[in-house]
């Protein structure tokens, strides 16, 4: 396997570029037949977003995560809003054509949802989604942005002659007051690495519960998290085993920390060894804030004889209220996005034969100290002809 390029760790703030082309999509299991619909970067490997999330238990998991950062007060929560004041992050997101074009298509191709409606844009950034909504005929759009980019968004709205339709409000959703009691639509691009990194989902849910009409629409309204397994010998050696011998010195004490930090990177689809398993589907229009913490079981079946060095997580997003199903995937078999995939390296190298299965569970929860960080616990076992292993590993996205 050739070395991947353009990687970065989960320490990079979220929220890219690949030319958007409409392709046939389907939210179906890769092993099942399905019906194609039009949109975005999804391909025939994507699992059903709306199928039942089997083997998932929700609620606050009773798990004690290892805290390796005692005494470290610098967190993603401290820097979150400041990071979005820098135009470079917004440039990356806007140039992620899969992301931005999907939102544009959702709005422009479904104007019946927006015409004469009041819209709330949560985490508006440059205001691009608000601009789309205004052009689609919204009666008024309230664009809420907490970072200093709100000042630029106001200028952008004025420059484009839309000040009579778009009102930019600077502040936290939890602290601002809207000039209206209720809104018809809430739109947001809240997804982080691993879907849940940075914990912006709870902000959207707060806005939904406070301001959305009972029959209002949340866009997007579905998000699904998946897990697969890959061969990654060369890159794991470069990123993890490297610490065993650094210019003749043993720095293996860093190796444990490196193993605990998921890597945000683009995975070549040829590295994939197993099927993809749907861990959880979230219905943004109905879920409770606590539902973002969950434990889900998984079964990954090898599709060939190979070695497994890491699990890989990715997510799909869908807009089910549209005239036709629309959405996109961040999976390794779909056109790349700025979210890439999330790689969780294993302490063991698993020698797996075709048809053998890795079974286990993944527990996901916000870090208790820094809720914008994500704690992940993976229990997994393999009882194969050439490898028998059972282990628990902890990860922390920060």
């Amino acid at each position: 396997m050739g070395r991947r390029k353009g990687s970065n760790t989960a320490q990079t703030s979220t929220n890219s570029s690949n030319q958007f082309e409409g392709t046939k999509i389907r939210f179906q299991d890769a092993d099942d037949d399905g019906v194609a619909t039009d949109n975005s970067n999804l391909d025939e490997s994507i699992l059903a977003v709306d199928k039942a999330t089997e083997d998932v238990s929700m609620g606050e998991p009773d798990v004690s995560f290892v805290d390796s950062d005692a005494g470290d007060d610098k967190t993603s929560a401290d820097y979150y809003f400041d990071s979005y004041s820098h135009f470079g992050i917004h440039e990356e997101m806007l140039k992620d054509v899969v992301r931005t074009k999907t939102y544009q298509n959702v709005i422009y191709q479904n104007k019946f949802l927006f015409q004469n409606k009041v819209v709330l844009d949560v985490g508006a950034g440059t205001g691009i989604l608000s601009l789309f909504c205004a052009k689609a005929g919204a009666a008024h759009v309230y664009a809420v942005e907490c970072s200093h980019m709100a000042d630029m968004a106001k200028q952008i709205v004025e420059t484009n002659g839309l000040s009579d339709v778009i009102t930019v409000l600077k502040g936290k959703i939890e602290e601002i007051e809207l000039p209206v009691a209720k809104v018809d639509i809430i739109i947001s691009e809240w997804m982080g690495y691993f879907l849940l990194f940075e914990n912006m989902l709870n902000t959207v849910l707060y806005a939904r519960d406070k301001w959305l009409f009972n029959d209002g629409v949340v866009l997007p309204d579905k998000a699904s998290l998946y897990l697969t397994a890959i061969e990654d010998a060369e890159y794991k050696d470069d990123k993890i085993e490297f610490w065993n011998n650094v210019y003749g010195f043993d720095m293996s004490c860093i190796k444990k920390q490196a193993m605990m930090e998921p890597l945000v990177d683009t995975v070549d689809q040829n590295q994939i060894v197993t099927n993809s398993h749907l861990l959880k589907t979230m219905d943004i229009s109905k879920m409770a804030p606590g539902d973002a913490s969950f434990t889900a079981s998984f079964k990954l079946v090898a599709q060939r004889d190979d070695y497994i060095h890491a699990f890989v997580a990715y997510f799909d997003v869908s807009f089910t209220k549209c005239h036709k199903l629309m959405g996109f995937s961040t999976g390794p078999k779909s056109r790349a996005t700025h979210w890439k995939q999330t790689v969780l390296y294993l302490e063991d190298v698993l020698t797996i034969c075709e048809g053998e299965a890795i079974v286990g569970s993944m527990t996901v929860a916000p870090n208790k100290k820094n809720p914008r960080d994500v704690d992940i616990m993976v229990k997994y076992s393999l009882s194969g002809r050439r490898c028998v292993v059972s282990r628990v590993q902890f990860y922390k996205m920060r």
Side-chain angles (χ1 to χ4, degrees):
M1 182 209 71
R3 176 172 176 172
R4 299 194 300 272
K5 297 182 179 179
S7 65
N8 58 294
T9 68
Q11 294 171 322
T12 306
S13 182
T14 188
N15 290 335
S16 33
S17 60
N18 288 281
Q19 185 174 358
F20 173 88
E21 298 175 8
T23 62
K24 291 290 184 180
I25 68 168
R26 63 187 184 98
F27 297 90
Q28 285 286 342
D29 190 285
D31 300 322
D32 295 336
D33 293 328
V35 179
T37 59
D38 288 322
N39 199 49
S40 196
N41 69 333
L42 293 167
D43 63 20
E44 295 189 355
S45 68
I46 306 308
L47 305 179
V49 171
D50 56 353
K51 82 175 192 181
T53 54
E54 298 175 348
D55 301 321
V56 176
S57 61
M58 296 183 292
E60 290 289 343
D62 184 17
V63 177
S64 298
F65 291 98
V66 178
D67 187 356
S68 61
D69 294 327
D72 182 5
D73 293 329
K74 294 182 179 181
T75 69
S76 59
D78 297 326
Y79 298 119
Y80 176 69
F81 291 113
D82 280 345
S83 71
Y84 282 92
S85 298
H86 302 287
F87 77 91
I89 290 176
H90 297 278
E91 178 184 2
E92 180 184 35
M93 291 188 291
L94 291 169
K95 287 183 175 179
D96 182 342
V97 185
V98 168
R99 163 200 180 268
T100 309
K101 193 70 175 178
T102 298
Y103 274 90
Q104 184 185 47
N105 287 343
V106 164
I107 297 167
Y108 285 2
Q109 295 178 19
N110 296 275
K111 292 182 179 180
F112 70 92
L113 289 174
F114 296 89
Q115 287 175 349
N116 302 316
K117 298 296 177 63
V118 177
V119 180
L120 174 59
D121 182 358
V122 178
T126 60
I128 186 64
L129 302 187
S130 296
L131 296 169
F132 291 157
C133 292
K135 287 292 186 181
H140 205 88
V141 184
Y142 295 98
V144 180
E145 172 59 40
C146 190
S147 77
H148 294 304
M149 188 55 64
D151 301 322
M152 299 302 298
K154 289 180 182 179
Q155 291 187 38
I156 292 168
V157 169
E158 292 171 3
T159 299
N160 287 275
L162 291 169
S163 298
D164 57 333
V165 181
I166 302 174
T167 300
V168 179
L169 301 171
K170 186 176 182 180
K172 296 180 180 179
I173 280 287
E174 296 83 357
E175 297 174 0
I176 61 111
E177 288 296 330
L178 291 182
V180 294
K182 295 290 181 180
V183 300
D184 301 293
I185 297 172
I186 291 178
I187 193 166
S188 180
E189 193 278 81
W190 54 267
M191 299 79 71
Y193 297 135
F194 190 71
L195 184 61
L196 297 171
F197 182 56
E198 294 186 339
N199 199 30
M200 189 178 165
L201 174 57
N202 280 350
T203 299
V204 174
L205 300 181
Y206 177 92
R208 179 201 67 186
D209 293 342
K210 185 172 183 179
W211 285 301
L212 189 66
F213 280 116
N214 289 336
D215 59 349
V217 175
V218 180
L219 297 172
D221 60 324
K222 294 285 182 66
S224 298
L225 186 66
Y226 298 91
L227 191 70
T228 188
I230 63 169
E231 180 280 325
D232 204 16
E234 184 178 340
Y235 207 62
K236 183 184 179 186
D237 188 65
D238 180 63
K239 299 297 292 185
I240 305 297
E241 305 304 330
F242 162 79
W243 297 106
N244 290 330
N245 187 337
V246 182
Y247 296 98
F249 296 96
D250 185 344
M251 298 188 182
S252 57
C253 57
I254 297 177
K255 181 177 175 180
K256 181 178 179 181
Q257 184 66 28
M259 287 287 295
M260 289 182 64
E261 295 184 8
L263 185 74
V264 175
D265 198 4
T266 300
V267 172
D268 189 315
Q269 63 176 312
N270 293 324
Q271 296 175 248
I272 299 171
V273 178
T274 71
N275 62 303
S276 292
H277 188 100
L278 174 62
L279 292 172
K280 183 174 178 65
T281 292
M282 299 180 185
D283 185 338
I284 316 306
S285 63
K286 299 177 181 178
M287 67 182 289
D291 293 345
S293 299
F294 63 91
T295 296
S297 61
F298 62 83
K299 182 179 181 180
L300 302 177
V301 180
Q303 298 172 337
R304 63 174 184 263
D305 293 353
D306 212 327
Y307 302 96
I308 290 175
H309 301 87
F311 293 130
V312 173
Y314 64 93
F315 63 89
D316 295 351
V317 169
S318 60
F319 302 76
T320 71
K321 304 301 182 182
C322 297
H323 179 62
K324 295 177 67 177
L325 177 64
M326 304 181 79
F328 62 85
S329 174
T330 64
K333 293 185 179 181
S334 298
R335 188 169 292 111
T337 71
H338 78 281
W339 287 286
K340 305 178 184 178
Q341 292 88 43
T342 301
V343 181
L344 300 94
Y345 284 114
L346 306 181
E347 292 184 23
D348 307 286
V349 176
L350 308 184
T351 304
I352 197 166
C353 300
E354 182 177 358
E356 294 179 346
I358 305 168
V359 295
S361 65
M362 175 178 283
T363 296
V364 178
N367 181 264
K368 292 180 179 179
K369 179 181 177 183
N370 310 314
R372 293 197 183 277
D373 297 345
V374 179
D375 287 334
I376 304 166
M377 180 181 72
V378 180
K379 298 179 180 179
Y380 63 92
S381 63
L382 169 65
S383 297
R385 297 193 298 275
R386 297 170 182 168
C387 181
V388 176
V389 66
S390 181
R391 189 178 290 277
V392 178
Q393 287 189 231
F394 295 89
Y395 304 88
K396 182 176 179 181
M397 297 197 72
R398 60 182 181 178

